[in-house]
Amino acid sequence: MRAPAFWWRRPGLASALLSPVGAVVGAIALARMGKAGGRVEAPVLCIGNPTVGGAGKTPTAIALLRRLTARGATPFALLRGHGGAAPMPLKVDSAIHGADAVGDEALLLARHAPTIVAGGARRVGAEMAVAVGASHIVMDDGFQNPSLHKDVSVLVVDGAVGAGNACVTPAGPLRAPLLPQLARADAVLVVGDGSAGEKVAAEAAQAGCTVLRGRLVPDPAAVAALRGVPLIAFAGIGRPEKFFATLEGEGLTLLARHAFADHHPFRPAEIARLVEAARAQGARLVTTQKDRIRLSAPAFAGPEFATVVDAIATLPVTLALDDPHGLDALVDLAETRFQARRF
């Protein structure tokens, strides 16, 4: 399901009508978040977000995994494995697992560190990671899930939209009321510019959270390869508009934009229509890394799609923090808390 437009506007009739349901959803979420999680023999750092959908969690988790590795650690990524159908928990093997088995995010994370997809059993997945050598656990999502104790939690916020209309789903994008979520977090990372994100940053600072800021930086080589090329963009992420805006912000030529729901399982007929539209306009298709990974599903394994899929361009992005030492401080805090809880 794509996020409804009213989530990102001032509260109106739709959000008012749905707010009683949101109150119930929020109460249930807060009750779950108040439960004690199981502990494992490694520091656990959780990268979550207060809202439904994407805000930059996976690039943040990758940045943290890379920083831990540079410090000499052996971090493992841990995530639910949204969209994956394989029995879980399991350790991701990119040579044999596709997005249909473990989900698109897992395959992206596995390029940077050993990765466990746990389904609903995050504690079991974390124990599996520790058993095979993990020094640290980096959770991609799961802030609201109580099954695993977190030593440090970071909430990632899209600076352009912040907390939206500040209502709880389905009345708005929040997974639970914002202030109680901030009270359980150690840091808030605002990705990109925008007054909506700055409002959340101010509330986070008042709640005692460390506030970090960063931006998603497109790969320069990929941008150069697409410059001057007519493009048709498509994306099935939390907020496709952010991907389209990134392309335009780099001065690339967009002829059309096609938005799909987050983690959308593309069908061959959909891709065939996009390919035909690109051919008719003399354009090239471009999508996100996550979306491109999902095109490795068995439905696209036939020879008729091999050349087509290979020709679809991607625009990789990395997280650049305003304070490059911000992640180190969070790692230090997680390690200190881990040592304290061991004794």
Side-chain angles (χ1 to χ4, degrees):
M1 182 190 81
R2 287 196 63 200
F6 73 83
W7 278 9
W8 314 113
R9 298 194 294 260
R10 292 172 64 90
L13 179 60
S15 56
L17 291 174
L18 292 169
S19 60
V21 180
V24 174
V25 170
I28 293 172
L30 290 179
R32 293 182 71 238
M33 290 168 64
K35 297 178 180 179
R39 298 169 184 250
V40 296
E41 282 298 303
V44 177
L45 298 96
C46 177
I47 307 299
N49 65 340
T51 58
V52 175
K57 294 189 303 296
T58 299
T60 303
I62 289 171
L64 180 55
L65 289 166
R66 295 176 67 177
R67 187 69 205 119
L68 282 163
T69 301
R71 287 167 60 117
T74 308
F76 273 53
L78 175 71
L79 70 165
R80 179 183 174 188
H82 185 91
M88 300 178 188
L90 64 82
K91 185 172 181 289
V92 175
D93 183 345
S94 300
I96 61 175
H97 295 137
D100 59 313
V102 297
D104 49 17
E105 293 160 335
L107 292 176
L108 274 179
L109 291 164
R111 295 175 179 177
H112 302 275
T115 298
I116 303 287
V117 288
R122 285 184 174 89
R123 179 181 176 181
V124 177
E127 290 171 342
M128 175 187 294
V130 172
V132 294
S135 65
H136 298 70
I137 306 294
V138 175
M139 297 176 64
D140 183 339
D141 210 0
F143 173 76
Q144 292 81 11
N145 185 291
S147 61
L148 181 61
H149 173 81
K150 295 96 173 171
D151 293 295
V152 159
S153 292
V154 181
L155 291 177
V156 183
V157 174
D158 183 339
V161 295
N165 63 10
C167 298
V168 176
T169 184
L174 288 172
R175 303 186 188 206
L178 180 60
L179 293 182
Q181 292 195 77
L182 295 176
R184 289 171 167 82
D186 298 290
V188 166
L189 168 62
V190 180
V191 179
D193 299 324
S195 59
E198 288 306 311
K199 180 179 180 182
V200 175
E203 293 177 292
Q206 190 170 12
C209 293
T210 297
V211 176
L212 303 174
R213 290 176 173 81
R215 61 196 183 281
L216 297 179
V217 179
D219 178 70
V223 172
L226 296 174
R227 197 170 301 285
V229 178
L231 299 172
I232 292 179
F234 68 98
I237 56 176
R239 201 166 68 84
E241 294 79 9
K242 181 163 60 174
F243 173 61
F244 306 147
T246 298
L247 292 167
E248 291 181 319
E250 293 296 324
L252 301 179
T253 306
L254 257 63
L255 302 184
R257 306 158 184 77
H258 297 271
F260 296 86
D262 197 13
H263 299 286
H264 177 71
F266 292 107
R267 297 185 295 272
E270 291 172 324
I271 300 302
R273 285 194 293 270
L274 289 171
V275 168
E276 182 57 33
R279 285 175 179 164
Q281 298 181 67
R284 186 174 183 187
L285 293 175
V286 61
T287 191
T288 71
Q289 284 187 300
K290 284 187 182 181
D291 292 296
R292 178 63 177 77
I293 282 175
R294 291 202 300 284
L295 297 181
S296 65
F300 299 96
E304 69 275 19
F305 275 106
T307 303
V308 167
V309 171
D310 286 345
I312 296 174
T314 61
L315 188 69
V317 295
T318 56
L319 176 70
L321 290 172
D322 290 359
D323 176 7
H325 302 295
L327 294 181
D328 287 304
L330 293 173
V331 172
D332 292 342
L333 178 59
E335 291 175 343
T336 298
R337 288 176 173 172
F338 169 64
Q339 292 299 330
R341 67 176 167 84
R342 295 184 73 192
F343 301 102

